[in-house]
Every structure is written in structure tokens, then in C-alpha cells.
């Protein structure tokens, strides 16, 4: 692509590689370039649509996560379970009792 930025096959391979690496925004940028070079190419159009939807979903998920992180984090209590804690053993015993009664 450095020598020939219009080399569609190389651009397509980079789009797929970036998509597989999780670099969705970079892949979408390359997919847009593919569409500009070959708007009639069905594979390019399809890949562009897929990436556009994936980026939209990713961005929405990141925005909703950011909103969650920013709201009410001072009210979250982290509970640590130390080794040797027997609280899980009581639950296991209750399950064993129920299983033996059936």
C-alpha cells in the first residue's frame, strides 16, 4: 500500500487484519477507502456495512460503560473472600442435603 495506495487487494487484506485484531475504527477507515476506489465491489460494500455496524455497537457499548463507571461508583462495596472462608462450604452442604432428599 505504501507503493500503491490504490491496490485494492492489499487494502482488503489490511481491513480484514485490522478487524481481526479488534482495530475496528482503523478497519472502517480503510473500508471507506475501498468503497471510494471500487464502489461497485460487492465484497467491499458488504465489509464496509459489517464494520460500520460493529463500530456503532462498540461505540454504544463503550458509551454505556462510561456512563456506568461515572455514576454511583462511590456506592460500590468490594467484598473479598479470603482463602479458608467456609461460607461456600455451607452452600455446598445445603445443596448436598437437597440432593440426598430426592
Amino acid at each position: 500500500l505504501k507503493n500503491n495506495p490504490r491496490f485494492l487487494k492489499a487494502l482488503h487484506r489490511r481491513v480484514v487484519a485490522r478487524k481481526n485484531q479488534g482495530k475496528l475504527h482503523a478497519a472502517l477507515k480503510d473500508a471507506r477507502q475501498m468503497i471510494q476506489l471500487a464502489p461497485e465491489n460487492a465484497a467491499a460494500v458488504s465489509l464496509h456495512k459489517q464494520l460500520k455496524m460493529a463500530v456503532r455497537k462498540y461505540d454504544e457499548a463503550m458509551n454505556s460503560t462510561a456512563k456506568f463507571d461515572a455514576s454511583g461508583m462511590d456506592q460500590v462495596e468490594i467484598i473479598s473472600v479470603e482463602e479458608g472462608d467456609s461460607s461456600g462450604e455451607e452452600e455446598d452442604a445445603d445443596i448436598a442435603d437437597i440432593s440426598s432428599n430426592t
Side-chain angles (χ1 to χ4, degrees):
L1 287 171
K2 189 183 289 186
N3 295 331
N4 183 1
R6 299 181 61 85
F7 188 31
L8 193 61
K9 188 173 184 178
L11 189 57
H12 181 268
R13 287 180 179 173
R14 188 168 74 180
V15 170
V16 172
R18 286 180 168 174
K19 177 184 165 207
N20 290 338
Q21 293 173 338
K23 298 177 180 179
L24 298 178
H25 289 91
L28 181 59
K29 181 180 176 183
D30 285 345
R32 285 186 188 120
Q33 186 178 353
M34 284 177 57
I35 296 295
Q36 289 175 349
L37 294 173
E40 73 288 344
N41 186 306
V45 171
S46 175
L47 187 56
H48 179 262
K49 284 181 183 179
Q50 290 173 9
L51 283 166
K52 197 172 175 180
M53 288 177 53
V55 166
R56 185 179 303 131
K57 286 180 182 180
Y58 175 81
D59 288 344
E60 287 173 2
M62 293 307 293
N63 286 336
S64 66
T65 301
K67 289 176 186 173
F68 171 77
D69 288 345
S71 65
M73 286 306 292
D74 58 331
Q75 299 173 6
V76 174
E77 180 180 346
I78 299 174
I79 300 172
S80 171
V81 178
E82 296 179 20
E83 279 188 50
D85 185 6
S86 63
S87 62
E89 293 173 8
E90 292 173 8
E91 290 177 10
D92 291 342
D94 292 340
I95 293 170
D97 290 341
I98 293 170
S99 298
S100 64
N101 290 336
T102 56

